């Protein structure tokens, strides 16, 4: 009897880039955990951010079911990817299996994540410092990418993480570098919005950078741009952003 052919495609750089974009461009996600009382899968919606190494970040209350579940079993899955017009299953989505690590308060890591999260979710300032709220880093272990009908891939967790020795230095100086870049190029954001075909909305601004790309936000809209080649430092990041904005295609 003939063995059925695999429905999976070979994972290539294009698939990896799509997966990273789906994860890093999401402002929220469906989070699935294991209910410690029943053992059943429990799904909920959470706000999503990213750390400087691309690891997904969630901010959750200790009173929620998913937080209690993560305390009992660190395994979780995230579903990201927005449906568009027509059949929702024709649009790309990514399921990322993760292991949750709680971020301790009053640490440099917490301060860094807090700043990056608020840059993406300004309204979270109303409750981000409540004593029952805490951050979790969701370390990717593996991922399943469906790029649309007939486009299925399996990725390793390392495909979604930014491996750079410059991460800490970039995180420390990123906000100042971006402010300086925009001050030196007043038309930068208009040029980026045009070049990246951003939806017409209010003014756009850069809300996060890392060695793999940058994020732009306008109200509730978020746009991720991945570099073709990861940057080595902040100067390289700023140079890449300027080239994307002003070079003729």
């Amino acid at each position: 009897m003939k063995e059925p052919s695999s429905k999976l495609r070979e994972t290539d750089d294009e698939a990896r880039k799509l997966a990273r974009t789906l994860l890093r461009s999401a402002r929220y996600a469906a989070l699935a955990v294991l209910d410690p009382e029943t053992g059943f899968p429990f799904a909920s919606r959470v706000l999503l951010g990213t750390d400087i190494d691309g690891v997904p970040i969630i901010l959750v209350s200790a009173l929620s079911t998913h937080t209690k579940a993560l305390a009992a079993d660190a395994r979780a899955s995230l579903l990201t990817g927005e449906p568009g017009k027509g059949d929702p299953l024709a649009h790309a989505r990514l399921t990322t299996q993760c292991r949750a690590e709680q971020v301790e308060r009053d640490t440099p890591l917490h301060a860094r994540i807090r700043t990056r999260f608020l840059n993406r979710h300004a309204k979270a300032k109303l409750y981000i410092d409540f004593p029952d709220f805490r951050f979790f880093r969701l370390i990717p272990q593996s991922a399943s990418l469906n790029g649309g009908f007939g486009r299925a891939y399996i990725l390793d967790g390392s495909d979604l993480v930014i491996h750079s020795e410059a991460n800490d230095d970039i995180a420390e100086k990123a906000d100042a570098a971006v402010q300086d870049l925009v001050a030196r190029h007043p038309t930068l954001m208009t040029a980026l919005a045009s070049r990246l075909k951003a939806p017409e909305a209010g003014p756009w601004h850069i809300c996060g950078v890392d060695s793999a790309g940058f994020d732009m936000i306008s109200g509730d809209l978020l746009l991720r741009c991945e570099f073709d080649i990861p940057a080595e430092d902040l100067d390289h990041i700023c140079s890449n952003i300027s080239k994307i904005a002003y070079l003729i295609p």
Side-chain angles (χ1 to χ4, degrees):
M1 186 175 183
K2 186 178 181 180
E3 292 289 331
S5 60
S6 173
K7 301 299 182 182
L8 295 174
R9 290 192 180 188
E10 182 178 352
T11 303
D12 53 17
D13 287 343
E14 182 180 352
R16 293 185 184 95
K17 183 176 182 179
L18 175 58
R20 292 193 299 264
T21 302
L22 288 171
L23 186 60
R24 296 171 189 167
S25 65
R27 295 184 68 247
Y28 61 88
L31 172 72
V33 295
L34 295 175
D35 190 316
E37 295 184 4
T38 67
F40 274 86
F42 179 89
S44 56
R45 179 178 293 163
V46 291
L47 293 183
L48 200 64
T50 60
D51 199 357
I52 192 67
D53 58 358
V55 167
I57 298 295
I58 58 173
L59 175 68
V60 291
S61 168
L63 305 177
S64 66
T65 299
H66 46 251
T67 304
K68 295 174 183 176
L70 291 176
D73 189 328
R75 291 175 296 173
S77 288
L78 287 173
L79 174 63
T80 52
E82 287 293 308
K85 293 181 179 180
D87 190 338
L89 298 184
H91 298 273
R93 61 270 191 195
L94 179 75
T95 298
T96 307
Q97 294 178 317
C98 310
R99 188 164 293 275
E101 294 181 355
Q102 184 173 328
V103 178
E104 297 299 325
R105 286 179 176 268
D106 302 319
T107 62
L109 176 59
H110 187 279
R112 177 178 85 198
I113 288 173
R114 182 184 184 277
T115 297
R116 288 180 61 87
F117 198 86
L118 285 176
N119 284 345
R120 182 178 286 210
H121 300 288
K123 294 179 182 178
K125 189 174 183 179
L126 296 172
Y127 51 82
I128 197 170
D129 295 322
F130 285 2
D132 64 301
F133 274 78
R134 68 279 319 272
F135 287 111
F136 282 90
R137 277 170 46 95
L138 301 182
I139 314 298
Q141 306 297 302
S142 62
S144 174
L145 169 66
N146 190 319
F149 292 122
R151 297 176 60 203
Y153 308 86
I154 295 296
L155 294 90
D156 187 78
S158 63
D159 290 325
L160 302 174
V161 177
I162 300 167
H163 305 280
S164 173
E165 295 180 357
N167 280 342
D168 289 341
D169 184 64
I170 290 171
E172 181 181 352
K173 303 172 183 176
D175 286 349
V178 169
Q179 291 174 14
D180 178 68
L181 178 65
V182 174
R184 287 188 286 111
H185 302 283
T187 62
L188 178 73
M189 296 313 305
T190 301
L192 282 173
S194 175
R195 183 68 184 273
L196 299 177
K197 296 181 173 57
E200 293 185 10
W204 287 86
H205 67 272
I206 296 173
C207 64
V209 301
D210 51 62
S211 62
F214 63 97
D215 306 316
M216 290 175 24
I217 195 167
S218 176
D220 294 331
L221 300 176
L222 183 72
L223 185 64
R224 172 72 182 182
C225 179
E226 289 272 313
F227 300 142
D228 291 333
I229 300 175
E232 298 176 357
D233 52 33
L234 264 173
D235 287 342
H236 194 184
I237 289 173
C238 292
S239 175
N240 281 348
I241 293 174
S242 296
K243 288 178 180 178
I244 291 169
Y246 295 117
L247 285 184
I248 298 174

